[in-house]
Amino acid sequence: MAQQKATHITWHQATVTAQDREQLLNQKGCVIWFTGLSGSGKSTLANAVEQLLHQRQHHTYVLDGDNVRHGLNKNLGFSPADREENIRRIGEVAKLFADAGTIVMTAFISPYRADRAQARALLPDDRFVEVFVACPLDVCEERDTKGLYKKARAGEIKEFTGISAPYESPLEPEVTLNTADLSLEECAQAVMAFLETADLVPAGR
């Protein structure tokens, strides 16, 4: 848990409420948290879901692991402590997006259950959707579009999740999808179906 260092600060309430913003956007601000091994298809799936939502005229944004490390989190590495801080920051940013009424998708390995639980705790239970992209390790290695697993196996990349660093699978995710068995379209539609069932977006027409 990050320590509060700033003092003499006061939380200012907005005059435009979260409910006001949601009514304007015809949706409920929420976080769809995609988690899984490198190469499991998190970013691809998050973008596919965003495309479906965009087609229905919903306001969305995808926070991608690599993209965020180019800016906001460029000072963080891949040690356990840095991974924890990486996810803590993303959780806080995602919370702000959700408060703005946006449907925000995060595509991060986020290997530790405690870190994901901390991100979930920032929002009401019904506004955090954990999607476990449960692709087997061997399939992720076969894909290896970035060549990362090969380098990790050769010892060129230290603390690589699934090889030399642990991945703690979700125990009770809202959605579990095996991208080795299901098509991208099937996975994206499954996420959309959950969002509709959870009353986060209106049923599609």
Side-chain angles (χ1 to χ4, degrees):
M1 184 67 67
Q3 180 183 0
Q4 178 73 57
K5 292 186 177 180
T7 58
H8 308 295
I9 57 176
T10 302
W11 184 270
H12 289 269
Q13 296 294 338
T15 54
V16 176
T17 67
Q19 290 74 21
D20 293 332
R21 291 187 283 269
E22 290 179 347
Q23 185 175 3
L24 179 68
L25 296 170
N26 190 33
Q27 63 188 42
K28 293 182 179 178
C30 64
V31 175
I32 309 173
W33 193 282
F34 294 88
T35 177
L37 295 170
S38 177
S40 60
K42 299 179 300 300
S43 295
T44 302
L45 180 53
N47 281 280
V49 172
E50 183 181 39
Q51 186 63 42
L52 291 176
L53 288 166
H54 183 73
Q55 290 170 2
R56 294 194 195 179
Q57 299 184 318
H58 287 296
H59 195 261
T60 61
Y61 197 80
V62 174
L63 293 168
D64 179 80
D66 282 1
N67 292 356
V68 169
R69 282 182 177 275
H70 276 89
L72 177 67
N73 292 348
K74 66 181 180 181
N75 64 322
L76 299 177
F78 292 93
S79 67
D82 278 3
R83 287 178 185 271
E84 179 182 355
E85 176 61 13
N86 183 56
I87 298 306
R88 187 195 71 80
R89 292 183 193 177
I90 295 310
E92 293 287 354
V93 170
K95 176 188 176 184
L96 294 176
F97 271 91
D99 187 56
T102 299
I103 299 171
V104 58
M105 284 146 279
T106 70
F108 295 80
I109 294 173
S110 48
Y112 304 124
R113 293 189 190 110
D115 295 343
R116 298 194 301 268
Q118 183 175 327
R120 179 187 289 272
L122 294 172
L123 293 109
D125 285 342
D126 61 346
R127 299 302 180 94
F128 188 95
V129 179
E130 187 174 38
V131 179
F132 178 28
V133 187
C135 187
L137 176 61
D138 60 329
V139 176
C140 292
E141 286 200 67
E142 286 174 11
R143 294 172 177 172
D144 203 14
T145 55
K146 302 175 185 177
L148 300 178
Y149 282 101
K150 184 177 180 180
K151 291 180 180 179
R153 291 287 188 190
E156 296 175 26
I157 299 178
K158 307 299 182 183
E159 298 179 301
F160 189 81
T161 303
I163 304 299
S164 51
Y167 177 79
E168 298 172 357
S169 300
L171 299 177
E172 297 182 45
E174 279 72 18
V175 181
T176 299
L177 299 167
N178 187 335
T179 55
D181 295 336
L182 300 171
S183 69
L184 176 60
E185 182 179 359
E186 288 172 323
C187 290
Q189 290 293 348
V191 175
M192 292 295 295
F194 180 86
L195 297 179
E196 292 176 2
T197 301
D199 196 31
L200 292 170
V201 298
R205 295 180 294 276

